[in-house]
Amino acid sequence: MNDPLHIIIAGDRGKVFNLLYSRKKLRTIATLSLVGILFLFFTSGFSISLFTQNHKLSNKLLTLQEKFESRVESVANNSTDLKQRQHEMETTIAKLTKANKEMAAKFKAEKEELLANAVGELNERNEIIEKIFGSIGIKLPKIKESSKNSGGPFIVGPETDRDSLLFKTDTLIKSISSIPLGKPINGVITSLFGKRKDPVNGKRGFHTGLDIRGKRGQKIYATADGVVEKAFRNGGYGNYVRINHGNGYKTIFAHMQKYKVRKGDHIERGQLVGLVGNTGRSTGPHLHYEVLLKNKPVNPYNLIKVSKLPNLTQSSPEKK
């Protein structure tokens, strides 16, 4: 087993190499050679694996780089598009601002024209109202401004004709709302204001109001805004209501079948007051209607005539 092994290698030129190895040495050399081959095999496999992974990573990195470049290009395009849209928006806003200014100027001019026309009409109507009331001897109460229970910063500002006219119109409207105008019911006037022959005893007397014929149960309406002072059964007046309208004016409704208001109620022109009847000292269904000015009876017919003039007052619907 330990016999040496001769290895003879002959060259082309006749040179001979003689190698003498023992079997143990050869096994050692073979083992080392096998180990070396295996090492080279595993090293090559590991190198190939690393190369493959490196190649894949390189491909992924290239793909990511391409995506990144694409995103950068997209962002650049979007930025350009955004700037363009921003410019378009700024242009549009500028156009809208200009159009709004032009429209505002146009509206202002139209408003001034409408106000001028309205002021002219208000002035004419105010003059007509004052002449009408003056012609029948009715003085419109003036509303005076008071410094009590008021305040605020002092701002200097000249009074314009328009402001004065609007205040005057407001004064007239408030005044007229407290003046009893028109008939409380639709019906024939059977007895006028003033001296007359009493329908019950036939004696001469003074009638402090108007008697207006009506059907039993016919609705009676307030002729101005006010507050109910009285609502009760009042002897010869029968069912009786008295309304205080302010500015010295009061109205009285008598001989009603039933009254529909109570003391303290706030009344508006055209609101239901009661129903026509024949209560108290009466000869038939009718309404006795009085108007008081500073607690003295005045002729209601003058106020009924005023309400019949065109474009002065309109009949109010019944208020519920």
Side-chain angles (χ1 to χ4, degrees), residues 109-227:
E110 291 178 354
K111 178 183 176 181
E112 292 296 330
E113 183 179 356
L114 290 173
L115 282 175
N117 294 335
V119 165
E121 292 178 3
L122 281 176
N123 193 30
E124 292 178 4
R125 182 159 295 197
N126 288 346
E127 291 177 357
I128 292 173
I129 292 173
E130 288 178 335
K131 287 180 180 179
I132 290 172
F133 278 94
S135 66
I136 60 174
I138 297 177
K139 293 182 179 180
L140 291 170
K142 295 181 180 180
I143 299 178
K144 296 181 180 180
E145 293 187 60
S146 173
S147 60
K148 294 181 179 180
N149 301 97
S150 60
F154 173 72
I155 300 174
V156 179
E159 286 191 10
T160 63
D161 293 339
R162 186 170 64 196
D163 294 335
S164 300
L165 181 60
L166 290 175
F167 179 75
K168 181 180 179 181
T169 302
D170 184 58
T171 301
L172 285 175
I173 291 172
K174 290 179 179 178
S175 300
I176 291 173
S177 68
S178 65
I179 297 176
L181 301 174
K183 281 184 177 181
I185 63 169
N186 289 323
V188 177
I189 297 175
T190 57
S191 183
L192 295 173
F193 175 86
K195 294 180 180 181
R196 70 166 185 175
K197 183 179 179 181
D198 188 86
V200 177
N201 58 26
K203 296 181 180 180
R204 299 295 296 178
F206 188 85
H207 192 217
T208 56
L210 297 178
D211 287 343
I212 307 173
R213 183 186 300 157
K215 296 179 180 179
R216 191 182 299 272
Q218 184 177 345
K219 293 180 179 179
I220 302 169
Y221 301 109
T223 52
D225 299 351
V227 179

Side-chain angles (χ1 to χ4, degrees), residues 1-5 21-24 27:
M1 294 293 295
N2 294 324
D3 293 338
L5 178 65
Y21 294 98
S22 64
R23 291 179 180 275
K24 184 179 180 180
R27 282 197 299 271

Side-chain angles (χ1 to χ4, degrees), residues 139 141 246-250 291-298:
K139 293 182 179 180
N247 292 323
Y249 283 96
K250 297 180 182 181
V291 176
L292 304 179
L293 178 58
K294 296 181 180 179
N295 292 321
K296 293 182 179 180
V298 296

Side-chain angles (χ1 to χ4, degrees), residues 24-47:
K24 184 179 180 180
K25 189 176 182 178
L26 284 175
R27 282 197 299 271
T28 302
I29 292 172
T31 301
L32 292 174
S33 298
L34 181 60
V35 170
I37 291 171
L38 290 174
F39 176 77
L40 290 175
F41 177 77
F42 286 111
T43 303
S44 299
F46 182 71
S47 299

